Amino acid sequence: MRVLSIVGARPQFVKLSPIAHALAAAGHDHVIVHTGQHYDAKMSDVFFTDLGIPTPDVHLGVGSGSHGVQTGSMLTQLDAVIEEHDPDWVLVYGDTNSTIAGALSAVKLHYPLAHLEAGLRSFNRRMPEEHNRVLTDHAADLCLAPTEVAMRHLADEGLAERAVLTGDVMTDVCLRVASESDGRPLPFASEVGDDFILATIHRAENTDDPVRLRAIVEGLAGLSRPVVLTAHPRLVAKAKQQGLDLTGGSLHTVDPVEYPTMVAAVRAAAHVVTDSGGLQKEAFLLRTPCTTVRTETEWTETVDLGWNVLALDLDGLGALVERPAPAPTDATPYGDGHAAEATVATLAERARPRA
Ligand code: UD1
């Protein structure tokens, strides 16, 4: 079987890692296409190096742009790439512009399309990620769902027959890296000590609304412990445009960190404050309490189990971060760390026989 993976943004490199390893272990061909959506070394290259992902076979180099420009420039190149490699499956990941571009190109060329991390919903139609994931699920021949909740969403939308519950590949990589990076020194330890809050903010809903972004930055700066803010380029650019200081009060802002450092930092942190989907879940997997700066989450299990709370009122951020510790749990809503093998087995079972 030949699988062609299309990735472009940081969280997709993390998901690609266990899939690349599982495909290689099972002896399948794997073609990796990097769209170039994320291009800074710290947002891209270090993930390939640290997570042992083979160098991409094709790099489209699209870079930044409006949604239409970015997605369109991927589309103009993808048809030829997919036809040249003639895969049994085109595999797209998550919910970014690279996902929807890969999905559109594959279905229009009549190549079988599989969507990894299918069925997630925020029900917030203003999020670019929500458009991308809904449209991709409906285009896909195979929806690889990480959770029971995702399976229910797919069934509710009439997609039950195409849906398979595989578990979450982010659990595979997070648990593996956590066991390998135990005791890894943190680059900011000498400045912040060992009682710190880890924060990330990058979503368009938070960064692109000046009033909201100011409230978030001031809320983080006003927390009572040091806040290590690993700053996504989008946050840095928007803060600069709006004249916001990312170094005031409790804030200790650093460049994006590589994945093993992030995992070690989540583990060591007293609390995580984020708007990232992946980080909410990593905080749960590593049992660090999390506050999510959004009005909804796709990872509802983290909230139901008490480890994640949505900061609906930004004025209350300090109280949420200082809330009592959640009850311990051994629940595994995100699988047992073998989702990539299940994904590869499902792809192999359902591959169309070649003519
Ligand atoms: C994208 C995804 C989002 C995902 C996030 C993870 C979409 C619509 N959004 O958001 O779902 O959670 O990636 O990071 O696909 N930039 C750089 N260097 C880079 C990458 C980006 O400077 O390597 C800057 C550019 O100014 C760019 C901005 O960040 O315009 C935003 O990048 P973009 O790819 O549009 O979306 P993200 O905010 O990263």
Side-chain angles (χ1 to χ4, degrees):
M1 171 176 73
R2 179 177 302 144
V3 174
L4 183 142
S5 283
I6 299 174
V7 292
R10 186 169 56 173
Q12 295 171 322
F13 310 142
V14 177
K15 291 164 201 161
L16 171 64
S17 160
I19 293 290
H21 289 124
L23 282 168
H28 299 297
D29 273 2
H30 189 200
V31 178
I32 298 176
V33 180
H34 188 323
T35 63
Q37 176 169 355
H38 284 177
Y39 44 86
D40 285 354
K42 285 184 173 154
M43 298 289 288
S44 171
D45 307 13
V46 293
F47 287 80
F48 285 79
T49 317
D50 285 334
L51 296 175
I53 308 169
T55 305
D57 299 275
V58 183
H59 200 297
L60 306 181
V62 298
S64 303
S66 67
H67 293 297
V69 167
Q70 194 176 52
T71 310
S73 69
M74 294 174 197
L75 273 171
T76 55
Q77 300 183 64
L78 276 170
D79 287 3
V81 172
I82 294 175
E83 283 187 317
E84 183 196 333
H85 291 280
D86 192 28
D88 296 294
W89 285 105
V90 173
L91 181 59
V92 294
Y93 299 67
D95 55 19
T96 74
N97 290 339
S98 301
T99 316
I100 186 71
L104 277 175
S105 190
V107 286
K108 285 181 182 289
L109 293 170
H110 308 297
Y111 275 90
L113 172 70
H115 183 205
L116 183 130
E117 210 177 71
L120 292 191
R121 296 291 181 267
S122 66
F123 301 102
N124 176 354
R125 294 301 291 262
R126 291 193 56 78
M127 287 174 64
E129 294 83 0
E130 186 76 353
H131 317 147
N132 290 339
R133 57 170 86 102
V134 170
L135 295 170
T136 301
D137 280 341
H138 284 260
D141 301 283
L142 179 58
C143 291
L144 301 158
T147 62
E148 296 280 1
V149 173
M151 288 293 283
R152 279 207 294 281
H153 293 151
L154 291 166
D156 289 347
E157 294 176 26
L159 302 176
E161 277 182 17
R162 307 178 201 174
V164 176
L165 178 65
T166 51
D168 188 339
V169 298
M170 285 194 73
T171 304
D172 304 13
V173 64
C174 180
L175 297 182
R176 177 174 63 78
V177 171
S179 71
E180 288 165 7
S181 58
D182 204 15
R184 189 183 174 94
L186 296 173
F188 40 78
S190 60
E191 284 121 285
V192 299
D194 57 8
D195 186 18
F196 66 91
I197 292 160
L198 181 69
T200 76
I201 295 293
H202 77 277
R203 284 204 183 268
E205 319 77 280
N206 285 332
T207 57
D208 297 8
D209 173 345
V211 176
R212 191 164 166 84
L213 183 58
R214 177 173 294 278
I216 293 169
V217 171
E218 287 175 357
L220 290 172
L223 294 179
S224 58
R225 299 179 222 213
V227 176
V228 176
L229 175 65
T230 71
H232 186 290
R234 176 193 275 282
L235 172 66
V236 174
K238 294 289 175 179
K240 192 167 170 209
Q241 261 173 29
Q242 291 155 29
L244 287 173
D245 177 15
L246 292 180
T247 60
S250 298
L251 284 175
H252 179 84
T253 296
V254 297
D255 284 344
V257 296
E258 62 276 27
Y259 188 74
T261 301
M262 198 63 176
V263 167
V266 171
R267 225 182 193 181
H271 201 97
V272 167
V273 180
T274 189
D275 60 4
S276 152
L279 198 57
Q280 289 169 52
K281 216 171 27 182
E282 283 150 1
F284 171 75
L285 292 170
L286 301 169
R287 299 298 190 266
T288 300
C290 179
T291 297
T292 294
V293 186
R294 286 180 53 197
T295 47
E296 67 284 306
T297 178
E298 300 79 10
W299 305 107
T300 50
E301 302 84 358
T302 59
V303 173
D304 297 343
L305 290 162
W307 285 78
N308 188 14
V309 172
L310 298 174
L312 299 176
D313 166 19
L314 291 171
D315 290 339
L317 193 61
L320 284 180
V321 167
E322 296 303 331
R323 69 184 185 266
T329 174
D330 54 11
T332 54
Y334 304 116
D336 57 3
H338 296 283
E341 284 123 287
T343 300
V344 168
T346 305
L347 290 171
E349 260 163 51
R350 301 207 175 197
R352 282 185 211 162
R354 290 240 170 195

